Amino acid sequence: MQADGEFDLIARYFKRPSPDRMLGVGDDCALMSLSTGCELAVSTDMLVEGRHFLPDADPAALGHKALAVNLSDLAAMGARPLACTLALSLPAVDHAWLAAFSEGFHALSRESHCPLVGGDTTRGMSGIVLSVTVLGEVRRSHALRRDAARVGDDVWISGTLGGADLALRLVLGQLPPDPERLRATRPLLDRPTPRLKLGRYLAGVAHAAIDVSDGLLQDLGHVLQASHCGAELWMDALPAHPALAGLDESLRRDALLAGGDAYELCFTARPLRREQIQALGRQLNVPVARVGTLVRGQGVRVLDGDGQAVPLVRRGFDHFSEPCGGIA
Amino acid sequence: MQADGEFDLIARYFKRPSPDRMLGVGDDCALMSLSTGCELAVSTDMLVEGRHFLPDADPAALGHKALAVNLSDLAAMGARPLACTLALSLPAVDHAWLAAFSEGFHALSRESHCPLVGGDTTRGMSGIVLSVTVLGEVRRSHALRRDAARVGDDVWISGTLGGADLALRLVLGQLPPDPERLRATRPLLDRPTPRLKLGRYLAGVAHAAIDVSDGLLQDLGHVLQASHCGAELWMDALPAHPALAGLDESLRRDALLAGGDAYELCFTARPLRREQIQALGRQLNVPVARVGTLVRGQGVRVLDGDGQAVPLVRRGFDHFSEPCGGIA
């Protein structure tokens, strides 16, 4: 027997009873069925220590976030979670860390009905690296594709923006210590809530959607590029997190327009869907704000209350050009 | 524009035209359809520099191997490749490396009809880490599950064993330099061929299958454990790679029984399937050897030509207890 071998780690920390109609962790592949008339949706993300999270990151929060950021991609597609896989490279076997990490991961996995069906654990030569792949299903031709936005569509945002970005700046010491604001925003950074239900209900109602992970301007930019149109956003309509109140205006603007890690949905829909979308937000208890409109051309113009263009600096987050962020 | 940003790397090196009925790299998720009456098969593997490959590994071979080891899991399930995703953490942007790696990856991706549909590229703090997830489809209830082996089944091996293990020992300097043997075996280590066609044809014919990645005894052991039976293997029937001829007997035995990286299929089938399986091997031009039988009890007994038990030492490869191996 291998005391701390690869197989024991998977069995000990990651194996759970298999859901119906599904082979769990342990075979060459996991097997599963799709519902009739559905397409498969797949997304992969990798989280690297020192880049996406700090070495002393709370492991339970990290387990949650590793899955949450991938589920957020399913949400942005309007897909229902089906299953996930996890690959994990660790510098050493740390049982307390693994217990907390797997608990954080599995809690969200259970809550979102997204069972872990495959895993690979290995010992790396340096920091922790995680890779999660999620599988989901969406009714044929109902997916919220990036290239489906149309000129004349409203632009909508779920929840609020800027909270997680504020928390990150406080954690990184880019702002003076502010325990009250940190307390109010830190959960948004550490344990984001993927908007799965909203995404599923929007499938067939909205045109396009994307999750705000790298900043609104950058993420909406991907939709515009894929759909060959431009956007006007109304600065005053952007739903700011309450903790942003009283902050310096340029900082506030930056957090709203370029702040990452929000994991809210930015989606576009025809104006005749307004009432339906507002009703959906009330039904799901998720705030939805209409923040702009799609126009001919390309790129985003952000307008202030007087209809004047707001100057833009930072456009978003790029993992190859910016420093470490995320869970501290 | 980000000069060497995350998005450019994906677009530059990994984007290919999307196959029919499939959204390619670039949306929140990739979307695809399954054939009617099929189940989805999913597998994930992570490769870590210094653990699974050396820092000076040939990038084209590494790109091939990263996908090959995952396709081998689909083969062992009897599944047809559908698509794959790749997550890649790099210490720095090295265009020559990326060009060669992506070419190696895509060449096998094309050949095996397994398009890359999702990717994530990030800058890590240290060595290269790759994570590949493959998706495949298999006819409902035809999958070659590990728990489907039955007492009385024949045990079969495709191809030959021991070649990649010999190459690895030569590369790591565990054996005296032997250019001829290295030339004969190195391609097996660097560019393994997943037995996809064989696996697909065996679905519905064989009972259980596994790919020999960590050594025959260890991998067959997983089948036996899942199927609650034991096995007798005939040492003289094991298909040895020709380069093993003339080696010390204990070394030869070790390479055959415990050598990793073979990526051949070990499968079990009822004796009445013998002619069908032999014919299949001829048809696909893949050698298949009948090497043992499944018995009541547990574990593997290896018998020599006189029916005497062969002493066993190393049982296989475990990434948490053994040193770096793989592509040099």
Side-chain angles (χ1 to χ4, degrees):
Chain A
M1 287 303 298
Q2 311 120 357
D4 282 328
E6 187 173 355
F7 307 106
D8 294 314
L9 290 181
I10 291 174
R12 182 161 170 186
Y13 293 109
F14 295 105
K15 206 163 180 173
R16 293 289 189 281
S18 297
D20 289 348
R21 302 181 310 153
M22 210 175 274
L23 264 173
V25 176
D27 216 298
D28 299 293
C29 300
L31 287 178
M32 68 203 74
S33 304
L34 250 61
S35 306
T36 313
C38 280
E39 286 180 312
L40 181 69
V42 184
S43 179
T44 285
D45 262 305
M46 186 174 258
L47 298 182
V48 176
E49 179 180 316
R51 175 63 48 181
H52 303 93
F53 59 93
L54 298 173
D56 61 349
D58 170 28
L62 186 60
H64 173 100
K65 189 161 180 175
L67 181 55
V69 300
N70 279 280
L71 290 174
S72 184
D73 284 323
L74 289 183
M77 214 68 187
R80 187 177 76 86
L82 203 57
C84 60
T85 65
L86 168 70
L88 190 53
S89 171
L90 302 170
V93 177
D94 176 340
H95 291 286
W97 192 94
L98 277 161
F101 176 86
S102 62
E103 189 41 47
F105 191 96
H106 278 298
L108 181 58
S109 161
R110 270 194 308 273
E111 186 190 319
S112 53
H113 305 284
C114 188
L116 181 71
V117 299
D120 190 21
T121 316
T122 197
R123 191 188 322 213
M125 292 292 130
S126 49
I128 297 166
V129 180
L130 318 167
S131 177
V132 175
T133 300
V134 287
L135 309 173
E137 60 178 18
V138 57
R139 281 182 61 195
R140 205 175 304 279
S141 75
H142 276 53
L144 301 167
R145 299 170 50 148
R146 291 186 186 179
D147 60 3
R150 295 290 171 264
V151 170
D153 276 3
D154 295 326
V155 180
W156 297 80
I157 301 280
S158 68
T160 63
L161 295 175
D165 187 63
L166 177 58
L168 179 59
R169 288 163 187 255
L170 288 167
V171 165
L172 294 180
Q174 293 174 1
L175 294 177
D178 188 335
E180 199 176 330
R181 280 200 172 92
L182 184 58
R183 203 163 35 240
T185 55
R186 177 109 195 207
L188 297 169
L189 181 65
D190 286 356
R191 293 181 178 264
T193 303
R195 295 294 190 188
L196 285 164
K197 271 198 182 165
L198 179 64
R200 285 173 61 192
Y201 280 88
L202 287 174
V205 174
H207 278 158
I210 194 166
D211 63 320
V212 181
S213 54
D214 297 326
L216 176 59
L217 291 184
Q218 183 165 304
D219 291 316
L220 176 58
H222 296 313
V223 172
L224 301 177
Q225 203 167 15
S227 298
H228 307 289
C229 57
E232 277 182 13
L233 293 184
W234 313 311
M235 193 69 219
D236 295 349
L238 293 177
H241 189 276
L244 268 61
L247 285 182
D248 169 76
E249 183 53 31
S250 75
L251 181 66
R252 193 173 165 278
R253 191 190 298 152
D254 199 55
L256 288 171
L257 294 173
D261 272 312
Y263 300 106
E264 295 295 348
L265 296 185
C266 172
F267 55 98
T268 82
R270 298 166 75 177
L272 63 80
R273 297 291 194 176
R274 279 178 199 168
E275 281 185 31
Q276 189 179 3
I277 288 168
Q278 295 285 7
L280 188 56
R282 285 190 299 272
Q283 183 193 333
L284 300 177
N285 202 24
V286 175
V288 285
R290 191 157 57 84
V291 301
T293 187
L294 297 188
V295 297
R296 289 185 201 284
Q298 56 185 9
V300 186
R301 288 211 318 154
V302 184
L303 305 178
D304 65 16
D306 302 323
Q308 300 298 305
V310 169
L312 304 175
V313 188
R314 190 169 67 121
R315 295 196 68 87
F317 189 83
D318 173 22
H319 293 302
F320 266 101
S321 65
E322 301 215 8
C324 169
I327 294 180
Chain B
M1 285 303 297
Q2 310 120 0
D4 282 329
E6 186 173 356
F7 307 105
D8 293 315
L9 290 180
I10 292 175
R12 181 160 172 186
Y13 293 108
F14 294 105
K15 206 164 181 173
R16 293 289 188 281
S18 298
D20 288 348
R21 302 180 311 151
M22 211 175 272
L23 263 175
V25 176
D27 215 298
D28 299 294
C29 299
L31 286 178
M32 67 203 75
S33 304
L34 250 62
S35 306
T36 311
C38 280
E39 286 179 312
L40 181 69
V42 184
S43 180
T44 286
D45 262 305
M46 186 175 258
L47 298 182
V48 176
E49 180 181 316
R51 174 63 50 179
H52 303 93
F53 59 93
L54 297 174
D56 61 348
D58 170 28
L62 185 61
H64 174 100
K65 190 161 180 174
L67 180 56
V69 300
N70 280 279
L71 290 173
S72 184
D73 284 322
L74 289 183
M77 213 69 187
R80 187 176 77 86
L82 201 58
C84 60
T85 66
L86 167 69
L88 189 54
S89 170
L90 302 170
V93 177
D94 175 340
H95 291 287
W97 191 95
L98 276 162
F101 176 87
S102 62
E103 189 40 47
F105 190 96
H106 279 297
L108 181 59
S109 161
R110 271 193 308 274
E111 185 190 319
S112 53
H113 305 283
C114 187
L116 181 70
V117 298
D120 190 22
T121 315
T122 197
R123 189 184 328 207
M125 292 291 129
S126 49
I128 297 167
V129 180
L130 318 166
S131 177
V132 175
T133 299
V134 287
L135 308 174
E137 59 178 17
V138 57
R139 280 182 60 197
R140 206 175 301 280
S141 75
H142 277 52
L144 301 168
R145 298 170 51 148
R146 292 186 187 178
D147 61 1
R150 295 291 172 263
V151 170
D153 276 3
D154 295 326
V155 180
W156 297 81
I157 301 280
S158 68
T160 63
L161 295 176
D165 187 62
L166 177 58
L168 180 57
R169 287 163 188 256
L170 289 166
V171 165
L172 294 180
Q174 293 174 1
L175 294 176
D178 188 335
E180 201 176 328
R181 281 202 171 91
L182 184 59
R183 203 162 35 240
T185 55
R186 176 110 195 207
L188 297 169
L189 181 64
D190 286 357
R191 293 181 178 265
T193 304
R195 295 294 191 188
L196 284 164
K197 270 199 183 163
L198 179 63
R200 284 173 60 191
Y201 280 88
L202 287 174
V205 173
H207 278 157
I210 193 166
D211 63 321
V212 181
S213 54
D214 296 326
L216 176 59
L217 292 184
Q218 182 166 305
D219 291 317
L220 177 58
H222 296 314
V223 172
L224 301 177
Q225 203 169 14
S227 298
H228 307 291
C229 57
E232 277 183 12
L233 293 184
W234 313 312
M235 193 70 218
D236 295 349
L238 293 177
H241 189 276
L244 268 60
L247 285 182
D248 169 75
E249 182 53 30
S250 75
L251 181 65
R252 193 173 165 279
R253 191 190 299 154
D254 199 54
L256 288 171
L257 295 172
D261 273 312
Y263 300 105
E264 295 294 348
L265 295 187
C266 172
F267 55 98
T268 83
R270 299 167 75 177
L272 63 79
R273 298 289 195 176
R274 279 176 199 167
E275 283 185 30
Q276 189 179 2
I277 288 168
Q278 295 285 8
L280 188 57
R282 285 190 300 274
Q283 183 192 333
L284 299 178
N285 201 23
V286 176
V288 286
R290 191 157 57 83
V291 301
T293 187
L294 297 189
V295 297
R296 288 185 202 284
Q298 56 185 11
V300 186
R301 287 211 319 153
V302 184
L303 305 178
D304 65 17
D306 302 323
Q308 300 298 305
V310 170
L312 305 176
V313 187
R314 189 169 67 123
R315 296 195 68 87
F317 189 83
D318 173 21
H319 293 303
F320 266 101
S321 64
E322 302 213 8
C324 170
I327 295 178

